[in-house]
Amino acid sequence: MSAIRFDSTRQYYATSSLVVGYALCSSLLAVINKFAITKFNYPGLLTALQYLTSALGVWVLGKFGFLHHDPFTLDIAKKFLPAALVFYLAIFTNTNLLRHANVDTFIVFRSLTPLLVAVADTTFRRQPCPSKLTFLSLLIILGGAVGYVATDSAFTLTAYSWAFAYLVTITTEMVYIKHMVMNLGLNTWGFVLYNNLLSLMMAPIFWVLTGEYREVFAALGANAGNWFEPVTFTAVSLSCLFGLLISFFGFAARRAISATAFTVTGVVNKFLTVVINVLIWDKHATPFGLVCLLFTLAGGVLYQQSVTGPPRESTASRQTVDENENDDDDDDEENQDKSVSGKHASV
């Protein structure tokens, strides 16, 4: 009995650590990427550098024995390619959104994803329908987002076109990559390697299609020294480092919690992003817009409250029954239920 409790506690804290790590990386990366794109105005090249850093970092650390990743094989690469394409599009639209809009607009559209992911999870992955309280919390997120958009004085067609493109791709990415994580059988660092290496291979295609390569070559021909200014180099380096960190924590957290809970985690941690954004930049939402933005984040907190309690109680009650019956088959089933419940309880 004590061994079961120890394992359960260890699993809870391990999952919590992954979720906290993802939350910190996610909240800081939005601000870091916005800072980087203002100093290094080449979104395609910036994302390619992030992919290169992550893929090379995993490979080098694996060579020195600091981590273990699954070997790269053509067969698995073919299976993972659609997920990598969706991931690439999500990052690409995200970077362009930050290029044309402020961080607040990015957060609001990011906040809409839990509702869409919950619907997609139920429709395509046959997950249970959200409870009434959970659905209410998701509607609060939607209402706050609508209020923000209605009062956004910085509205531009270009920015919101990228915003809607980002919304579609990030929703697809959240659900589809969750499906790949649960079914492909790679370890966490294996997913990081495949995801970033395949995305790096796709980068030149989009680099040419968008015409960004002409801007890069023109800038190199005019004054290559600006690229290595301390501020620009630091901004790009931080962006690449946090890209590697969020790749690890993102895939590890996806293994531990549901797609909707993972998405809401990404929304709730934006509280910190909002505070940093207001403190360091003057281009942010109006006071009413910030209230609407906080409304969407409050909806994320309400969602968290709606999914933490019942699963934990259900798990505890089933564990008591299993211990009393001393049935090995029921114990196996309990361990599986505990894993699912822990996904919600630890968010």
Side-chain angles (χ1 to χ4, degrees):
M1 180 176 175
S2 59
I4 294 176
R5 289 180 177 175
F6 176 76
D7 289 341
S8 178
T9 302
R10 184 172 61 181
Q11 180 183 2
Y12 174 79
Y13 283 111
T15 303
S16 299
S17 299
L18 293 174
V19 172
V20 169
Y22 169 74
L24 288 174
C25 290
S26 180
S27 60
L28 293 174
L29 187 60
V31 177
I32 291 172
N33 278 343
K34 178 63 178 178
F35 178 58
I37 204 66
T38 58
K39 299 297 181 181
F40 189 80
N41 196 21
Y42 308 100
L45 183 56
L46 178 62
T47 54
L49 290 172
Q50 291 174 341
Y51 301 141
L52 176 62
T53 301
S54 297
L56 187 60
V58 171
W59 183 79
V60 170
L61 292 174
K63 283 294 184 182
F64 283 96
F66 290 105
L67 56 86
H68 170 73
H69 63 79
D70 295 292
F72 187 89
T73 64
L74 187 59
D75 183 53
I76 296 180
K78 289 178 180 178
K79 295 178 180 178
F80 195 80
L81 183 59
L85 176 60
V86 174
F87 172 80
Y88 181 92
L89 291 174
I91 300 300
F92 182 75
T93 52
N94 171 18
T95 308
N96 278 279
L97 171 57
L98 288 172
R99 184 186 190 187
H100 296 284
N102 56 35
V103 175
D104 299 326
T105 302
F106 159 73
I107 293 175
V108 166
F109 276 86
R110 180 68 171 76
S111 301
L112 285 173
T113 55
L115 177 59
L116 299 179
V117 169
V119 173
D121 238 359
T122 302
T123 303
F124 299 109
R125 299 186 65 242
R126 297 182 179 180
Q127 299 296 305
C129 293
S131 66
K132 292 181 179 179
L133 182 59
T134 300
F135 196 73
L136 175 62
S137 67
L138 296 175
L139 287 179
I140 291 175
I141 293 174
L142 176 62
V146 171
Y148 175 89
V149 173
T151 59
D152 186 7
S153 58
F155 177 92
T156 64
L157 183 60
T158 300
Y160 273 74
S161 295
W162 282 113
F164 279 109
Y166 171 71
L167 183 61
V168 171
T169 55
I170 193 63
T171 302
T172 306
E173 188 258 355
M174 289 290 178
V175 177
Y176 188 69
I177 289 189
K178 174 67 177 181
H179 170 76
M180 296 297 293
V181 167
M182 299 304 292
N183 293 280
L184 202 55
L186 295 172
N187 67 6
T188 300
W189 287 113
F191 276 110
V192 174
L193 177 65
Y194 274 87
N195 204 39
N196 286 281
L197 185 56
L198 290 174
S199 296
L200 180 61
M201 293 177 182
M202 289 184 283
I205 299 174
F206 288 87
W207 209 41
V208 172
L209 290 177
T210 59
E212 186 181 309
Y213 73 97
R214 289 191 292 267
E215 299 177 31
V216 173
F217 289 144
L220 282 172
N223 189 357
N226 289 337
W227 287 31
F228 299 98
E229 289 181 351
V231 175
T232 302
F233 183 80
T234 300
V236 173
S237 299
L238 283 174
S239 179
C240 292
L241 173 62
F242 272 80
L244 172 60
L245 292 176
I246 202 170
S247 290
F248 168 74
F249 283 111
F251 277 113
R254 277 185 172 95
R255 284 180 176 272
I257 58 179
S258 70
T260 305
F262 176 80
T263 306
V264 172
T265 302
V267 171
V268 174
N269 67 60
K270 294 300 186 293
F271 275 114
L272 177 59
T273 306
V274 172
V275 173
I276 297 174
N277 181 54
V278 170
L279 290 177
I280 67 175
W281 274 305
D282 56 356
K283 293 182 179 180
H284 47 75
T286 62
F288 182 77
L290 287 175
V291 170
C292 292
L293 175 55
L294 294 177
F295 223 72
T296 66
L297 301 181
V301 174
L302 181 60
Y303 170 87
Q304 185 181 15
Q305 295 294 325
S306 72
V307 299
T308 51
R312 189 178 297 176
E313 292 175 4
S314 175
T315 301
S317 64
R318 283 197 289 270
Q319 182 177 336
T320 302
V321 172
D322 289 337
E323 288 174 354
N324 292 336
E325 293 180 355
N326 290 320
D327 191 322
D328 291 338
D329 292 335
D330 288 345
D331 284 342
D332 291 339
E333 183 178 350
E334 163 61 21
N335 289 335
Q336 295 174 2
D337 291 340
K338 187 188 301 178
S339 176
V340 174
S341 298
K343 294 176 184 179
H344 298 284
S346 59
V347 179

